[in-house]
């Protein structure tokens, strides 16, 4: 019996759907999930170092100055919002150092946010591990200051076992600490274009950060893919990502109260320019 | 104490305590009348000048009576709540367990007294006769042994003792029939034509001529799992293994009942020592042995087993039906590869995570933001435990251009401007002088004037030369400046 071409194509399409649907949940491609979650891969540990200490506490003479740690909250919040937008779920904020101000988050995200406070480092690592493994969690934003290499290794494994976007905030002075995190980002306060910055249409009175990808264990991250003026036409994105660099500027948009990351994670194109909607 | 109900702007007394009753307060009185009577009573001044007044809550009364009915099943297997304040119990075959009906009544009254209930109890061959005796009978004669004794025992009681409605009782009194004896002396054939059918039914039920049954309170089946050792066991691994097996048995029983446990108690029976009790509660009914083990194991590790444990017991304190839900089918995956979870499964996962976090860290350390009705940033939301009931207030957090973090409390900051009321040019904060490169504002936020006259605040977003953006405000009343948050 000879089937019509349309029926054969429909059958072929159906088989593809079924075979794709039966793929074990744990094997879903991290890259594909990343696209829906602000271009950051899920099931990988992201360390956000910074923001580079803008203030120093003056200690008595003869003693070193003690810097104040300011977590890169704008980046962490944006990651959480994007992860939540791609399918809902719980957003867990572990450690009061990374608790956001509620009014700067969308109300729907606040409804699904849980603030966790821990008394000891062991409790903190345990709570992050537990949250990362839970299927109900879409993003974990945690205070990662003082984490040891074994702790980060444990958390990286926990992240791979779950489905959440794992974001750890660490002070920039811990940059030399060894870590098993798959990605490391450095955030500094940026300078706007009019002040001899790194390009773009930044105004003087907007918060601006320089974001640099320090490490990507996927092996194809440091190719220097380009996002220039990403998502043009969208007012809330003010991003400049120069070509041939793993570094770019992100600006807060006062009108929307939001930012977006131009992370080029997962891109295999070495020099091409891409626009992400 | 008075229980009152508001009817057309008048507060009427529904129930009174014995003390108020002695003072002359009766149900149906207005609250003002009752208050006027109470101070005249010497006892009223001993504890408080004003009587304790509560609003009548019939729903809560019914729930309490249902709980009392469940409690009373320890005396008789069939118990039914009767009206607003009564219980009907079928004690057939139970009296010999208490060495007679009189001792059964005595024990029941004593047990109720321990629960702070005053009870009138009677036992009779029919429910109607027992009700009549309990409500209107002689306090010293509360038992009718045989059916043929009922007419004589009920004769001196008023006709209301037959559980008649008010209209029928009034009609009987109009024809000078005040006692049951008088009513029984009237030929039966004359009654239906003058009174309702209900009167005949009530007479027959009291005398045992008509069948009367009760709908007993169904007591939920106790879910208990036990495991005994041949001798005292101290080995933690053995106890853990036995507990996991016990949990399997326990959850299997819950599965048969299509229920989940909300709270349970684990008991470790120790050799020559007191038992160790481990209470456990979860946010949603569950019969997941793995989840329960996750919650129990930390308690078990810390438990003092003394010279050894002889028996383990798991007892469900509170169970609830578990809703059936459709299992997730892989073909429902979305095209982008994300695995959308079944809503019910997602809820279960969420509840499990919260339970484990709360059990280890405590309810005060696992919180959610709850919006409050205030424009002041620090009062726009508060942290509440995750199991906190949702607020009924219509407050919502409105997303604005706000700093990413707010300080725990506003920090004093010294501000300098080149011209009076001009833009801020320099701030001194945390021991440093910081040049201001740009300043945006003011945005005026005002507190709730009807609660606190704190005045208003003018907020400014300033950029320091270090690149940091601060959120400052000037308090309108004190004219002092504070740093309140930052964009980081």
């Amino acid at each position: 019996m000879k089937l019509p071409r349309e029926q054969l194509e429909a059958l072929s399409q159906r088989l593809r759907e079924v075979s794709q649907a039966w793929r074990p949940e744990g094997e879903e491609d991290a890259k594909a999930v990343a696209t829906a979650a602000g271009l950051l891969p899920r099931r990988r540990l992201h360390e956000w170092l910074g923001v580079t200490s803008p203030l120093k506490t003056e200690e008595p003479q003869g003693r070193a100055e003690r810097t104040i740690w300011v977590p890169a909250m704008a980046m962490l919040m944006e990651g959480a919002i994007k992860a939540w937008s791609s399918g809902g779920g719980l957003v867990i904020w572990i450690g009061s150092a990374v608790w956001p101000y509620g009014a700067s988050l969308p109300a729907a995200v606040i409804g699904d946010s849980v603030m966790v406070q821990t008394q000891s480092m062991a409790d903190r690592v345990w709570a992050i591990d537990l949250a990362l493994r839970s299927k109900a969690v879409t993003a974990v934003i945690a205070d990662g200051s003082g984490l040891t290499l074994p702790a980060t290794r444990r958390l990286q494994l926990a992240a791979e076992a779950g489905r959440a976007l794992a974001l750890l905030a660490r002070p920039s002075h811990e940059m030399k600490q060894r870590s098993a995190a798959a990605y490391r980002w450095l955030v500094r306060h940026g300078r706007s274009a009019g002040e001899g910055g790194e390009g773009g249409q930044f105004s003087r009175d907007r918060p601006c950060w320089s974001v640099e990808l320090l490490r990507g264990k996927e092996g194809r991250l440091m190719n220097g893919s380009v996002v220039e003026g990403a998502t043009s036409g969208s007012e809330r994105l003010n991003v400049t990502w120069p070509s041939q660099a793993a570094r770019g500027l992100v600006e807060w948009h006062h009108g929307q109260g939001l930012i977006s990351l131009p992370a080029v994670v997962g891109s295999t194109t070495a020099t091409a320019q891409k626009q992400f909607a | 104490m008075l229980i009152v109900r508001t009817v057309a702007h008048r507060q009427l007394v529904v129930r009174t305590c014995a003390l108020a009753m002695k003072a002359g307060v009766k149900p149906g009185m207005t609250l003002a009348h009752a208050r006027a009577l109470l101070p005249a009573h010497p006892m009223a001044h001993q504890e408080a000048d004003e009587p304790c007044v509560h609003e009548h809550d019939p729903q809560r009364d019914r729930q309490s009576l249902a709980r009392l009915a469940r409690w009373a099943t320890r005396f008789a297997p069939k118990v039914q709540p009767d009206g607003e304040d009564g219980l009907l119990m079928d004690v057939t075959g139970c009296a010999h367990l208490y060495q007679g009906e009189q001792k059964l009544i005595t024990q029941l009254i004593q047990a109720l007294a321990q629960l702070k209930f005053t009870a009138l109890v009677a036992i009779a061959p029919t429910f109607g006769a027992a009700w009549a005796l309990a409500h209107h009978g002689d306090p010293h004669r509360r038992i009718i042994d045989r059916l043929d004794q009922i007419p004589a025992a009920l004769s001196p009681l008023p006709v209301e003792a037959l559980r008649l409605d008010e209209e029928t009782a009034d009609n009987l009194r109009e024809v000078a029939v005040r006692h049951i004896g008088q009513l029984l002396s009237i030929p039966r054939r004359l009654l239906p034509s003058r009174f309702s059918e209900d009167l005949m039914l009530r007479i027959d039920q009291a005398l045992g001529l008509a069948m009367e049954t009760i709908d007993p309170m169904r007591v939920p089946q106790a879910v208990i799992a036990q495991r005994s050792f041949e001798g005292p066991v101290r080995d933690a691994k053995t106890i853990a293994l036995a507990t996991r097996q016990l949990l399997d048995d326990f959850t299997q029983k819950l599965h048969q009942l299509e229920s989940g446990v909300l709270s349970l108690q684990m008991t470790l029976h120790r050799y020559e020592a007191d038992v160790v009790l481990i209470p456990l509660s979860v946010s949603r009914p569950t019969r997941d042995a793995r989840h329960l083990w996750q919650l129990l194991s930390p308690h078990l590790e810390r438990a003092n087993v003394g010279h050894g444990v002889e028996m383990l017991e798991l007892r469900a304190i509170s169970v609830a039906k578990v809703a059936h839900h459709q299992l997730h089918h892989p073909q429902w995956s979305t095209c982008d590869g994300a695995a959308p979870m079944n809503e019910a499964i997602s809820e279960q996962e969420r509840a499990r995570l919260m339970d484990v976090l709360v059990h280890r860290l405590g309810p005060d350390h696992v919180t959610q933001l709850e919006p409050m009705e205030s424009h002041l940033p620090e009062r726009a939301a508060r942290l509440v435990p995750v199991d906190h009931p949702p607020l009924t207030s219509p407050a919502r957090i409105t997303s604005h251009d706000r700093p990413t973090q707010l300080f725990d409390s506003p920090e004093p900051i010294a501000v300098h401007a080149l011209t009076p009321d001009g833009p801020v040019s320099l701030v001194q904060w945390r021991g440093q002088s910081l040049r201001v490169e740009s300043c945006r504002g003011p945005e005026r936020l005002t507190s709730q004037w009807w609660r606190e006259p704190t005045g208003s605040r003018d907020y400014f977003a300033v950029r320091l030369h270090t690149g940091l953006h601060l959120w400052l405000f000037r308090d309108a009343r004190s004219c002092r400046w504070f740093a309140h948050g930052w964009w980081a």
Side-chain angles (χ1 to χ4, degrees):
Chain A
M1 188 180 72
K2 192 174 179 181
L3 286 171
R5 184 179 177 81
E6 291 82 9
Q7 284 189 20
L8 276 173
E9 281 178 355
L11 183 62
S12 166
Q13 175 66 23
R14 181 74 181 140
L15 283 170
R16 273 200 299 274
E17 286 174 5
V18 171
S19 61
Q20 193 173 7
W22 277 102
R23 185 174 53 179
E25 192 178 310
E27 291 179 12
E28 67 190 60
D29 190 0
K31 178 187 165 189
V33 180
T35 307
L39 305 175
L40 301 176
R42 290 173 184 265
R43 302 172 59 224
R44 299 288 184 273
L45 202 59
H46 298 260
E47 281 186 354
W48 290 86
L49 297 161
V51 178
T52 312
S53 52
L55 295 170
K56 290 177 180 175
T57 305
E58 289 179 357
E59 295 288 328
Q61 285 186 349
R63 296 177 63 180
E65 289 179 329
R66 192 163 58 88
T67 55
I68 298 170
W69 174 41
V70 185
M73 284 308 298
M75 312 299 153
L76 302 174
M77 287 163 60
E78 181 63 12
I81 293 168
K82 284 286 181 64
W84 184 88
S85 306
S86 67
L90 284 175
V91 180
I92 312 283
W93 308 81
I94 299 170
S96 55
V98 294
W99 287 359
Y101 175 34
S104 58
L105 279 176
V109 179
I110 294 169
D112 275 341
S113 288
V114 177
M115 312 293 171
V116 178
Q117 192 167 20
T118 54
Q119 303 288 342
S120 64
M121 174 66 81
D123 276 353
R124 181 148 45 104
V125 174
W126 171 83
I128 300 170
D129 182 290
L130 184 76
L132 285 175
R133 289 177 189 276
S134 173
K135 297 283 188 287
V137 176
T138 192
V140 178
I141 298 92
D143 173 4
S145 57
L147 287 183
T148 58
L149 177 64
T152 55
R153 194 172 286 140
R154 173 184 170 181
L155 297 181
Q156 174 63 37
L157 289 172
E160 287 170 16
R163 59 183 278 271
L165 179 65
L167 307 177
L168 286 184
R170 301 192 69 164
S172 51
H173 62 78
E174 290 185 6
M175 196 189 300
K176 290 181 182 174
Q177 288 273 355
R178 297 177 68 199
S179 167
Y183 298 97
R184 276 194 138 183
W185 305 81
L186 177 65
V187 183
R188 299 190 188 94
H189 285 285
R191 309 291 286 181
S192 294
E195 305 162 82
E198 299 178 39
Q201 293 83 39
F202 295 109
S203 65
R204 193 179 173 84
D205 60 348
R206 289 180 177 176
C208 185
W209 298 275
S210 158
V211 180
E212 188 176 353
L213 181 62
L214 298 179
R215 176 202 290 175
K217 283 192 176 174
E218 297 293 303
R220 52 191 175 181
L221 291 167
M222 301 303 288
N223 289 338
S225 305
V226 177
V227 179
E228 183 80 52
T231 65
S232 56
S234 171
E235 288 185 1
R236 67 179 190 153
L237 303 178
N238 293 306
V239 173
T240 303
W241 201 272
S243 57
Q244 303 294 337
R247 186 176 176 185
L249 277 178
V250 178
E251 187 182 17
W252 183 274
H253 191 287
H254 280 305
Q256 302 285 332
L258 289 167
I259 62 156
S260 185
L261 289 177
V264 288
V265 177
S267 171
T268 54
T269 311
T271 54
Q273 293 192 352
K274 279 192 173 182
Q275 288 194 342
F276 290 82
Chain B
M1 186 175 74
L2 304 174
I3 307 289
V4 299
R5 182 172 50 201
T6 305
V7 180
H9 304 293
R10 293 171 69 211
Q11 286 186 300
L12 301 177
V13 175
V14 182
R15 293 275 191 279
T16 70
C17 66
L19 204 64
M21 204 174 277
K22 273 185 188 173
V25 179
K26 290 177 184 171
M29 269 182 185
T30 61
L31 179 60
H33 189 182
R35 278 192 166 135
L37 288 172
L38 279 173
H41 195 274
M43 296 297 285
H45 291 285
Q46 285 187 0
E47 289 181 8
D49 290 339
E50 283 293 312
C52 184
V53 179
H54 294 284
E55 191 68 26
H56 185 217
D57 186 350
Q59 174 71 15
R60 212 169 144 198
D61 279 356
R62 277 194 293 276
Q63 288 171 353
S64 296
L65 192 62
R67 280 200 299 273
L68 192 66
R70 278 198 291 275
W71 170 89
T73 52
R74 64 195 62 192
F75 289 95
K78 294 178 182 172
V79 183
Q80 177 201 312
D82 177 55
E84 291 181 347
D85 56 359
L87 294 179
L88 291 176
M89 302 167 65
D90 186 352
V91 294
T92 309
C94 299
H96 72 279
L97 299 172
Y98 299 88
Q99 299 173 341
E101 288 168 341
Q102 187 57 53
K103 288 191 176 175
L104 170 59
I105 288 178
T106 309
Q107 283 192 34
L108 183 56
I109 290 174
Q110 284 173 353
L112 285 166
Q114 286 179 354
L115 298 175
K116 311 284 184 196
F117 286 113
T118 307
L120 300 170
V121 185
I123 295 180
T126 64
F127 290 115
W131 194 96
L133 270 187
H135 285 82
H136 300 276
D138 180 359
H140 302 293
R141 193 162 179 271
R142 292 289 187 187
I143 298 171
I144 301 173
D145 293 325
R146 297 194 311 274
L147 212 56
D148 59 345
Q149 293 174 345
I150 293 176
L154 298 190
S155 288
L157 305 185
V159 288
E160 289 86 351
L162 288 174
R163 297 180 285 176
L164 302 178
D165 58 77
E166 215 166 288
E167 187 187 351
T168 310
D170 286 343
N171 290 342
L172 284 168
R173 273 194 295 271
E174 275 181 17
V175 293
V177 177
R178 299 185 189 283
H179 297 102
I180 294 175
Q182 292 170 312
L183 183 63
L184 294 179
S185 64
I186 299 172
R188 282 178 66 89
R189 59 187 167 79
L190 299 178
L191 291 174
S193 59
R194 288 175 173 268
F195 305 100
S196 66
E197 286 291 326
D198 186 55
L199 175 63
M200 299 303 300
L201 178 67
R202 288 304 191 188
I203 292 173
D204 289 348
Q205 283 179 341
L207 299 179
L209 302 173
M211 176 73 81
E212 184 178 6
T213 56
I214 61 172
D215 181 17
M217 175 73 66
R218 285 171 182 80
V219 180
Q221 190 180 341
V223 183
I224 302 170
Q226 292 176 332
R227 190 164 292 255
S228 299
F229 299 110
E230 288 185 357
V233 172
R234 295 193 64 198
D235 180 36
K237 283 184 182 173
T238 309
I239 294 172
L241 183 66
T243 306
R244 297 197 75 160
Q245 290 172 348
L246 201 61
L247 277 171
D248 289 338
D249 296 347
F250 186 71
T251 50
Q252 187 63 34
K253 287 182 180 178
L254 287 169
H255 194 79
Q256 287 166 1
L257 295 172
E258 297 183 345
S259 300
V261 67
L262 272 170
S263 64
L264 62 88
Q265 182 171 277
M266 183 173 186
T267 311
L268 307 181
H269 294 267
R270 297 186 298 176
Y271 177 66
E272 290 187 345
D274 294 337
V275 295
V276 174
L277 300 175
I278 303 174
L280 193 73
S281 54
V282 292
S283 56
R284 290 168 62 90
T286 180
R287 53 174 181 249
D288 183 349
R290 194 166 144 261
H291 177 49
L292 292 174
W293 168 247
Q294 202 173 7
L295 300 177
L296 264 180
S297 57
H299 297 280
L300 215 54
E301 284 168 13
R302 289 195 296 268
N304 176 11
V305 296
H307 296 295
V309 176
E310 292 183 308
M311 190 172 82
L312 301 172
E313 181 186 277
L314 277 174
R315 179 185 291 267
I317 305 297
S318 171
V319 294
K321 288 283 178 192
V322 173
H324 294 274
H325 55 77
Q326 181 71 47
L327 292 173
H328 170 66
H329 193 281
Q331 285 195 10
W332 297 339
S333 295
T334 53
C335 54
D336 63 357
M341 277 195 297
N342 185 319
E343 215 167 274
I345 295 174
S346 172
E347 280 298 312
Q348 283 178 8
E349 283 286 337
R350 181 182 292 223
R352 279 179 200 154
L353 176 66
M354 292 303 114
D355 287 340
V356 178
L357 284 171
V358 168
H359 269 81
R360 173 148 172 175
L361 304 175
D364 294 338
H365 293 91
V366 185
T367 51
Q368 276 189 307
L369 277 173
E370 186 178 70
M372 303 291 289
E373 287 180 316
S374 176
H375 289 297
L376 290 189
E378 69 270 27
R379 294 182 194 162
R382 63 172 181 168
L383 289 169
V384 294
V386 284
D387 54 354
H388 188 265
L391 194 71
T392 51
S393 117
R396 295 280 180 275
I397 291 180
T398 311
S399 189
H400 291 299
D401 175 28
R402 291 285 182 257
T404 54
Q405 281 189 312
L406 203 67
F407 301 151
D408 291 339
S409 58
E411 297 180 14
I413 187 168
V415 168
H416 302 277
L418 292 175
T419 56
D421 292 331
V424 178
S425 58
L426 190 76
V427 296
Q428 284 181 310
W429 181 50
R430 295 187 178 180
Q432 291 188 67
S433 289
L434 301 158
R435 189 164 42 83
V436 174
E437 293 189 337
S438 70
C439 176
R440 197 165 50 88
E443 179 188 4
R444 178 158 292 188
L445 297 178
T446 309
S447 65
Q448 295 152 310
W449 57 265
W450 59 95
R451 287 193 181 162
E452 50 191 339
T454 52
S456 54
R457 298 173 179 176
D458 289 335
Y459 276 86
F460 296 84
V462 300
R463 175 180 166 157
L464 307 179
H465 74 275
T466 58
L468 182 67
H469 278 248
L470 270 182
W471 205 35
L472 312 178
F473 74 84
R474 180 179 56 202
D475 184 57
R477 202 167 55 165
S478 64
C479 290
R480 291 178 63 201
W481 286 80
F482 297 88
H484 207 179
W486 57 29
W487 281 265

